[in-house]
Amino acid sequence: MRKEEREMKKFSVKTIVAIGIGAALFFVLGRFVSIPSPVPNTTICVQYGLLAFMSVVFGPIAGGLIGFIGHALIDFSYGWGIWWSWVIASAVYGLMMGIAGTTRKLHHEIGKESILPFNICQVISHIFSWGVVAPVLDIVIYQEPMEKLFAQGLFAGISNAVTTAIVGTILLVAYSATKVKAGSLNKE
């Protein structure tokens, strides 16, 4: 087996494990740690901080699948059926954060200097996912009334951005503390 094939296999196994663990944690946080909100059928969610972090570290495919699987499991566990428009929006959010994580500033330099770029990317990703993707898909798939959808999307986007700024930033800083810095093992 060539070196590239071994590297790809390692990456694939690591990514699959990350997807499984990430989706399970996303489900647990979304199902049991969500906070009721004043907007109907909308909660304040802490799992998007985890999703943003996992997406940046493991990439867009892992991020998209963690969001998709985790959100589908949450909806399924409540018994009302899977709300595909919001499941897809979660996947889009994970995908977007994973793509953002491939940038040099986030992927190669995860640390305190990446807090601002991380939070800019997560806010943009939330605005797009909850302000565009979820409402548009709700209209297309479920023929929901537009006013309700954009109120839900606006609230979800803002509350998710705030919780991601807290939870995601904490995870990012904690992770950066575990990384070996270049030259730190050199003898002086």
Side-chain angles (χ1 to χ4, degrees):
M1 192 180 305
R2 293 186 336 217
K3 181 180 177 185
E4 294 84 19
E5 290 173 348
R6 284 193 306 268
E7 290 298 317
M8 188 60 157
K9 187 172 182 175
K10 282 183 195 176
F11 176 77
S12 297
V13 169
K14 184 169 77 169
T15 302
I16 291 167
V17 170
I19 291 165
I21 292 171
L25 289 172
F26 186 94
F27 166 73
V28 169
L29 290 172
R31 182 65 167 93
F32 302 109
V33 188
S34 61
I35 303 161
S37 81
V39 177
N41 302 322
T42 310
T43 58
I44 299 170
C45 305
V46 296
Q47 70 265 28
Y48 289 98
L50 171 76
L51 178 57
F53 168 74
M54 296 286 286
S55 299
V56 166
V57 173
F58 294 103
I61 294 170
L65 287 172
I66 291 167
F68 185 87
I69 295 166
H71 198 132
L73 289 172
I74 292 167
D75 284 2
F76 182 76
S77 72
Y78 277 113
W80 59 55
I82 299 173
W83 205 256
W84 290 111
S85 53
W86 286 58
V87 169
I88 292 168
S90 288
V92 167
Y93 176 75
L95 182 70
M96 288 179 71
M97 286 305 296
I99 291 169
T102 62
T103 64
R104 184 177 191 280
K105 195 66 175 170
L106 285 178
H107 184 68
H108 297 292
E109 300 174 12
I110 292 178
K112 292 181 182 176
E113 64 278 352
S114 61
I115 291 172
L116 183 61
F118 171 81
N119 280 295
I120 290 169
C121 291
Q122 68 94 354
V123 168
I124 292 168
S125 298
H126 277 305
I127 290 169
F128 181 73
S129 296
W130 308 113
V132 178
V133 175
V136 168
L137 289 176
D138 273 345
I139 292 167
V140 171
I141 297 171
Y142 303 109
Q143 290 79 45
E144 290 283 324
M146 214 182 302
E147 309 77 42
K148 172 185 141 187
L149 300 177
F150 288 103
Q152 286 176 328
L154 178 65
F155 181 82
I158 291 169
S159 65
N160 290 345
V162 170
T163 59
T164 301
I166 296 166
V167 175
T169 301
I170 290 170
L171 290 171
L172 195 70
V173 170
Y175 177 74
S176 71
T178 67
K179 291 186 70 161
V180 176
K181 305 296 183 224
S184 66
L185 298 178
N186 292 340
K187 292 183 181 180
E188 300 267 345

